[in-house]
Amino acid sequence: MSHLIFTDSFINGEFYSTASHFDIIDPATEQSITSVSDIDQAGVKQAINAAHGAFIKLKSSNATTRSNVLMRWFELVMQHKQALAELMTKEQGKPLKEALGEVEYGAGFIKWYAEQAKRSYGDVIPATDDNHRLTSFKQPIGVVAGITPWNFPVAMVTRKVAPAYAAGCSFVLKPSEHTPLCALALAYLADQAGFEKGAFNVLVSENAKMVGELLTKSEVVRKFTFTGSTGVGKQLLAQCAPSIKRTSMELGGNAPFIIFANADLDEAVSGLMGAKFRNGGQTCVAANRIFVQRSVLDKVLEKLAEKVAALKVANGLAKDCDIGPLIYPQAKQKVQQLVADAITKGAKRVGVSAELSGNYYAPVILTGVTAEMDIYHQEVFGPVASIIAFDDEAEVLAMANDVPFGLAAYFYSQDIKQIYRVSEALEYGMVGINEGLISNPVAPFGGVKQSGLGREGGHQGLDEYLEEKYVCMKV
Ligand code: SIN
């Protein structure tokens, strides 16, 4: 693993160190993995200039060359899959089997955009008279800056950087200060794969405010992309407004997971386990409010309680671990507060959950959750299954949609007419039908309402980094 640990920011193809350092903490042991240097203002400016220099070269490069570089990056990431996954488990805490899955998922974006690089077609527009020829073609937007979260330290980086590079854009990335090691390893591998110097720069910093302000204020940066909380997303959008940057925002969710009485209940509970407990519940698409039709509530609870009791909470590197630690102490405190608030307001805990030390938090099932409780409205980001009983389709749709968020929603039903009705009625950017794991590099990921702007993945993810130029020629 050690050959992929880097401790300085990566600018213009070189590591950039400063005197100021901070520790990267393993959430499982609460011990330092390593100390990294904290970027200064001069470093941020240098990265923007380097990205600008790289963009000048990239914008005149051809798509096949960029595609080949991306394919080499994909191969290198896959060659180092085990080392990257171990690094991810160390800095983020997720079980090693999930980390391996994430490296493959993340590499999938690189491969997909290596292919898509060759398909950024324009249009030939039928002219409106005999004297003109009308066409449009796509060009890279320019220098891109992005901020990525700690919960998917590889996939959230490749989901942005690969389409940007495929389009011909250069990138300045600020990964979460909790998980910069995977991002640095990815940048190192991209450099080895043949990325132009300055095409992919990584800024490591605890001072997200300083870095965010410099990146959003810069006139050189033409596009800003962020994955994280809705609150921070709103602030960044405001900061991008004066320079009218293109933005993509993948923000918070509050996913409903609906089990109708006619569903295959075993399938529904299996799907729920993935949608709820992947990464210990620390995903934006995690099932946050679980609606179960009252007539099957007892059966669902029995099946769910059995599966939850079998989950092994441990260090993510331990064999058979299903749930690792939460990312840091404040995350655990937030989950504890949400559960305490729900119980004070009448929710019931199914069975007993052990009190665990450190950042570990044993999974909890709560029944009788209502809209009066904070847990109904906030993203839990922890292994808590909040169950809400409902009686009919209209009632559950009203509850499912009655939140300001609209990222992912899930439902289980075997009635084809209901499947059409419900998938159309859910005000969400993504819907899983009889499926709890929907993320896929080939499909558009993104939300509506306060869950964000734009799409990542799919052919749509490439357009986020392209401008369309209309050309009108008199003949
Ligand atoms: C997220 O939680 O933001 C991403 C989840 C995914 O890509 O599946």
Side-chain angles (χ1 to χ4, degrees):
M1 175 166 95
S2 57
H3 67 286
L4 280 184
I5 293 199
F6 305 103
T7 54
D8 295 315
S9 293
F10 191 71
I11 300 173
N12 207 23
E14 284 172 17
F15 289 102
Y16 176 104
S17 70
T18 62
S20 166
H21 282 73
F22 65 97
D23 285 323
I24 303 303
I25 305 294
D26 176 346
T29 61
E30 296 181 87
Q31 301 295 310
S32 171
I33 304 168
T34 188
S35 165
V36 292
S37 70
D38 200 339
I39 196 81
D40 48 19
Q41 293 204 11
V44 180
K45 289 177 185 160
Q46 199 168 311
I48 296 172
N49 286 339
H52 188 239
F55 175 65
I56 305 291
K57 293 192 191 121
L58 273 173
K59 71 176 180 185
S60 55
S61 67
N62 67 70
T64 302
T65 303
R66 296 196 301 275
S67 169
N68 291 341
V69 172
L70 283 171
M71 204 50 101
R72 275 200 296 280
W73 190 26
F74 163 75
E75 280 156 12
L76 285 175
V77 169
M78 291 305 284
Q79 269 169 32
H80 293 87
K81 183 168 115 175
Q82 186 70 25
L84 281 167
E86 285 172 16
L87 190 57
M88 189 190 308
T89 295
K90 289 285 279 180
E91 68 174 348
Q92 198 276 328
K94 69 179 60 178
L96 187 58
K97 61 188 172 193
E98 285 192 30
L100 285 163
E102 185 188 330
V103 177
E104 280 187 19
Y105 172 48
F109 286 102
I110 307 177
K111 190 172 186 207
W112 171 253
Y113 286 109
E115 291 156 354
Q116 287 301 107
K118 296 176 275 186
R119 305 198 179 102
S120 61
Y121 304 117
D123 263 333
V124 176
I125 304 157
T128 49
D129 59 45
D130 296 342
N131 304 329
H132 291 89
R133 297 292 178 267
L134 313 180
T135 54
S136 75
F137 58 89
K138 293 183 180 169
Q139 292 184 302
I141 289 186
V143 173
V144 180
I147 298 185
T148 47
W150 50 261
N151 60 346
F152 287 87
V154 165
M156 296 306 100
V157 173
T158 56
R159 188 154 92 177
K160 295 182 191 301
V161 177
Y165 187 83
C169 297
S170 54
F171 212 107
V172 182
L173 173 76
K174 186 213 169 283
S176 163
E177 59 272 32
H178 303 290
T179 57
L181 301 180
C182 282
L184 288 169
L186 285 170
Y188 169 78
L189 294 175
D191 183 65
Q192 301 285 300
F195 268 50
E196 293 71 6
K197 303 291 170 210
F200 179 14
N201 308 279
V202 176
L203 305 178
V204 178
S205 183
E206 271 197 313
N207 192 345
K209 192 169 180 301
M210 178 276 283
V211 178
E213 273 176 13
L214 288 176
L215 295 177
T216 50
K217 268 197 192 136
S218 165
E219 291 281 347
V220 172
V221 173
R222 290 313 316 144
K223 152 103 194 186
F224 195 86
T225 169
F226 172 68
T227 297
S229 72
T230 296
V232 175
K234 286 182 188 179
Q235 208 176 314
L236 290 167
L237 270 175
Q239 287 172 214
C240 287
S243 52
I244 318 283
K245 287 188 198 345
R246 271 272 284 280
T247 55
S248 308
M249 297 276 148
E250 204 262 273
L251 308 176
N254 184 345
F257 189 105
I258 306 168
I259 304 178
F260 287 103
N262 64 54
D264 177 326
L265 299 185
D266 288 316
E267 287 266 326
V269 172
S270 292
L272 176 57
M273 293 302 290
K276 177 68 257 181
F277 295 108
R278 180 166 73 122
N279 201 7
Q282 301 173 108
T283 79
C284 307
V285 289
N288 213 50
R289 294 168 299 148
I290 301 150
F291 297 101
V292 184
Q293 201 149 10
R294 206 174 301 277
S295 57
V296 293
L297 181 62
D298 290 347
K299 275 193 209 151
V300 168
L301 283 177
E302 193 186 317
K303 289 175 194 291
L304 182 64
E306 195 183 314
K307 283 197 185 292
V308 169
L311 291 173
K312 185 172 164 196
V313 183
N315 185 318
L317 293 173
K319 199 169 171 293
D320 299 334
C321 163
D322 298 302
I323 297 197
L326 294 177
I327 185 73
Y328 39 61
Q330 302 90 304
K332 176 167 168 176
Q333 279 154 23
K334 182 191 160 196
V335 177
Q336 285 171 323
Q337 277 162 13
L338 288 173
V339 170
D341 171 79
I343 288 177
T344 309
K345 292 175 180 161
K348 297 275 177 288
R349 193 191 281 259
V350 175
V352 193
S353 307
E355 284 292 328
L356 302 176
S357 60
N359 292 324
Y360 291 102
Y361 189 86
V364 172
I365 303 173
L366 290 177
T367 57
V369 168
T370 67
E372 279 62 55
M373 301 169 187
D374 293 342
I375 206 160
Y376 186 98
H377 301 280
Q378 292 182 30
E379 257 186 321
V380 182
F381 252 61
V384 182
S386 303
I387 312 284
I388 302 140
F390 70 93
D391 291 303
D392 62 50
E393 188 184 299
E395 177 197 12
V396 77
L397 280 174
M399 289 194 285
N401 287 336
D402 188 25
V403 286
F405 303 101
L407 191 58
Y410 310 84
F411 68 95
Y412 277 69
S413 167
Q414 298 197 98
D415 171 347
I416 188 69
K417 289 188 179 169
Q418 180 171 58
I419 286 176
Y420 272 100
R421 274 197 312 272
V422 173
S423 56
E424 284 167 17
L426 284 167
E427 294 165 5
Y428 287 82
M430 297 174 284
V431 179
I433 304 169
N434 298 328
E435 179 54 80
L437 294 175
I438 55 175
S439 307
N440 190 327
V442 306
F445 187 107
V448 301
K449 293 155 90 176
Q450 293 191 27
S451 288
L453 300 170
R455 292 294 179 268
E456 294 187 319
H459 66 85
Q460 298 86 343
L462 185 63
D463 282 335
E464 299 284 340
Y465 299 94
L466 291 165
E467 291 286 10
E468 186 143 8
K469 183 177 279 176
Y470 159 54
V471 177
C472 171
M473 181 167 67
K474 190 162 183 188
V475 292

